[in-house]
Amino acid sequence: MFDILVILITLGLLIYLAYRGISLLILAPALATFAVVATLDGPVLASYSQVFMGSAAGFIALYFPVFLLGAIFGKLMEDSGSAKVMANAIIGLLGSQRAILAVVLSCAVMTYGGVSLFVVAFAVYPIAAALFRQANIPKRLMPATIALGAFTFTMTALPGTPAIQNAIPMPFFGTTPFAAPGLGLITALVMFVLGMLWLEYRARQLAAEGYGVHSDDPATPDKAMRERAAGEGFDVMELTPERPSVGLPPAWVAVLPLVLVIAINLLFTFVLIPRMDTGFLALPLYGETDIDQVRGIWSIIAALTLSIIVLIAINWRRLPKLTLSMDCGANAALLPIFNTASLVGFGAVIASLAAFVLIRDSVVMLGGDNPLISLAIAVNILAGMTGSASGGMSIALSTLGDTYLAMAQAHGISPELLHRVTAVATGGLDSLPHNGAVITLLAICGLTHRQAYPDLAMTAMAVPLVALVVLITLGTVFGSF
């Protein structure tokens, strides 16, 4: 019982101290060491060098290209003006009479195309502010609107999304970015419809309030904002508030890279890679693996790489500081992946303690005979505790992934369904008030938790949780499709 208490205290300290702004690069190894020392369960130095660093290094080796290419792609979309053009085009097409829908769709299109949610938030905010003011919609609904488009269905549910939340489950379950596409589309639709219903209802309910008296100057990224955002896939200090005045690209130029990310991802996943001779992967030199373990990662790497090349080629004159843009994007990938890898190392050390077996068995039993329920609960709780969707998912899969895969096989549940449930489950409790993306979005909009968080919690937490229930129910009844 004492050892279990130590684990719970360690997790509590991780939540509290991370919220207070202490770097996860320091917190994760320090608290993992504390857990080993307090429980007297294993050699301290070996737990750090072999367990913590081994797991963290494995995560970096596997996912660094996705973080790196995603950050560079987002940076180039922002610096070329493509992100701004996309937002302007969609919002201009729908007009102020459909302001909420316009903002949601503009965020959704860009994030589904691979643009970082922070680039999207900074690009969309000034336009959304003008649109909300023109339509006299309360500004307090703006963070919830942006969150619905950027933080929910495009991040976890839509098949093929290059988001890291959709990439992490692939090596664990041998799946692709397009796992359970039918269920993913239905789940995404549930999130979109319920979120829109809530926002439109609130807009009518608060109609008398109007936009309110607010300054619409976008927030300037500072050190605190960077630290809050780093765990969610982008370093906002790398965002440049002003672009060189070279001219914005036409709409087709702005859209083409986004379309290519999805199209190339699909092409490599189902056409090119399956036709390759990959028997060499069984050799020790290549990790003694098979194509199912790497196909999804290879597809995303190929999609982002080729899309970046095209993006640069068609925006060459709009990127006068190309080297700087790429350097900033590359630098922006480092802190997020090391933060997440530190959480993975922390989880591995906790999982190595004898007391964790009792916690694991208790968590696994939560769903009764349905491992999907237990998996969803475990991922949600860890995402909420760490304040990070990718971090919580990584801990859950690194400690319990094999267990859930074995349980699923015993119950005839496909790995594709496990993948989709895992990804969608990250998008629930991760949006608690201490989440870095939540704090950063509120700062961008110039609003407080008290003003805007209740509605943001509905669209980014409550609605995804309802959609998760729908997903599990459909998956249990009909299987994966």
Side-chain angles (χ1 to χ4, degrees):
M1 182 59 70
F2 174 76
D3 289 357
I4 293 178
L5 181 61
V6 168
I7 292 176
L8 295 177
I9 290 173
T10 304
L11 288 170
L13 287 172
L14 181 70
I15 298 170
Y16 174 74
L17 295 176
Y19 184 66
R20 298 294 297 177
I22 299 179
S23 171
L24 287 172
L25 299 180
I26 299 172
L27 271 183
L31 290 174
T33 302
F34 165 77
V36 174
V37 171
T39 58
L40 301 176
D41 191 0
V44 175
L45 292 178
S47 294
Y48 174 73
S49 65
Q50 305 305 114
V51 181
F52 183 96
M53 288 305 303
S55 297
F59 181 88
I60 292 171
L62 188 58
Y63 296 110
F64 180 66
V66 178
F67 278 83
L68 174 66
L69 294 170
I72 291 174
F73 182 78
K75 182 61 178 168
L76 292 174
M77 286 291 292
E78 192 257 348
D79 282 0
S80 67
S82 297
K84 184 176 182 179
V85 168
M86 285 292 304
N88 277 330
I90 295 174
I91 288 173
L93 181 65
L94 295 175
S96 60
Q97 68 274 17
R98 295 187 180 92
I100 292 176
L101 177 61
V103 173
V104 171
L105 290 182
S106 63
C107 293
V109 168
M110 285 190 284
T111 51
Y112 186 57
V115 182
S116 161
L117 58 90
F118 293 102
V119 171
V120 171
F122 272 95
V124 168
Y125 168 72
I127 308 166
L131 204 61
F132 271 49
R133 184 181 289 278
Q134 182 181 350
N136 205 29
I137 298 172
K139 187 180 182 181
R140 67 159 107 169
L141 296 180
M142 192 183 303
T145 304
I146 294 174
L148 178 61
F151 295 5
T152 60
F153 56 94
T154 56
M155 184 178 80
T156 64
L158 283 180
T161 175
I164 190 64
Q165 291 80 6
N166 192 42
I168 289 175
M170 295 189 298
F172 291 95
F173 302 136
T175 51
T176 74
F178 297 90
L183 288 171
L185 288 171
I186 293 172
T187 306
L189 184 62
V190 171
M191 290 189 206
F192 173 74
V193 171
L194 292 182
M196 283 299 303
L197 288 174
W198 175 260
L199 291 170
E200 295 290 356
Y201 161 73
R202 287 287 286 164
R204 292 192 301 270
Q205 186 183 47
L206 302 173
E209 177 182 315
Y211 185 79
V213 180
H214 299 281
S215 170
D216 289 335
D217 294 332
T220 300
D222 58 13
K223 183 174 182 293
M225 191 182 294
R226 176 183 61 184
E227 291 171 348
R228 295 298 187 188
E232 295 298 325
F234 202 79
D235 184 343
V236 297
M237 279 297 283
E238 305 299 343
L239 288 168
T240 50
E242 298 293 335
R243 296 179 56 255
S245 56
V246 186
L248 294 173
W252 74 268
V253 170
V255 172
L256 182 59
L258 303 183
V259 174
L260 286 178
V261 169
I262 303 303
I264 295 173
N265 194 348
L266 191 65
L267 180 66
F268 271 81
T269 298
F270 295 110
V271 179
L272 298 182
I273 292 180
R275 295 181 179 179
M276 294 170 58
D277 180 7
T278 56
F280 59 85
L281 290 173
L283 298 174
L285 177 62
Y286 301 105
E288 297 179 310
T289 186
D290 58 67
I291 190 60
D292 288 338
Q293 302 302 309
V294 297
R295 179 171 55 162
I297 295 293
W298 285 6
S299 298
I300 292 178
I301 290 173
L304 287 172
T305 300
L306 294 175
S307 298
I308 286 171
I309 293 172
V310 172
L311 196 162
I312 292 172
I314 61 180
N315 287 286
W316 185 260
R317 289 182 297 176
R318 301 180 190 90
L319 295 167
K321 298 181 179 179
L322 175 60
T323 302
L324 178 61
S325 294
M326 295 190 70
D327 284 349
C328 288
N331 291 335
L334 297 180
L335 191 55
I337 192 167
F338 273 92
N339 274 346
T340 307
S342 293
L343 288 172
V344 172
F346 170 83
V349 172
I350 296 299
S352 71
L353 303 177
F356 181 79
V357 176
L358 298 175
I359 297 176
R360 181 197 64 193
D361 292 344
S362 298
V363 170
V364 168
M365 292 296 293
L366 288 176
D369 291 332
N370 191 341
L372 297 178
I373 298 175
S374 174
L375 175 62
I377 294 173
V379 172
N380 250 301
I381 290 175
L382 287 169
M385 294 180 78
T386 59
S388 167
S390 57
M393 174 195 290
S394 299
I395 293 175
L397 293 182
S398 63
T399 56
L400 296 169
D402 291 340
T403 301
Y404 283 118
L405 184 58
M407 291 174 63
Q409 291 171 344
H411 288 80
I413 297 173
S414 74
E416 287 75 17
L417 181 53
L418 285 181
H419 174 128
R420 191 54 55 204
V421 168
T422 303
V424 173
T426 65
L429 296 182
D430 75 304
S431 295
L432 288 169
H434 64 288
N435 173 267
V438 169
I439 294 171
T440 304
L441 177 57
L442 292 175
I444 291 170
C445 295
L447 297 168
T448 65
H449 278 76
R450 183 176 181 180
Q451 291 171 308
Y453 182 74
D455 291 298
L456 191 154
M458 284 298 298
T459 60
M461 184 166 62
V463 164
L465 287 175
V466 172
L468 177 61
V469 173
V470 173
L471 170 61
I472 293 174
T473 302
L474 291 175
T476 301
V477 175
F478 299 106
S480 179
F481 60 88

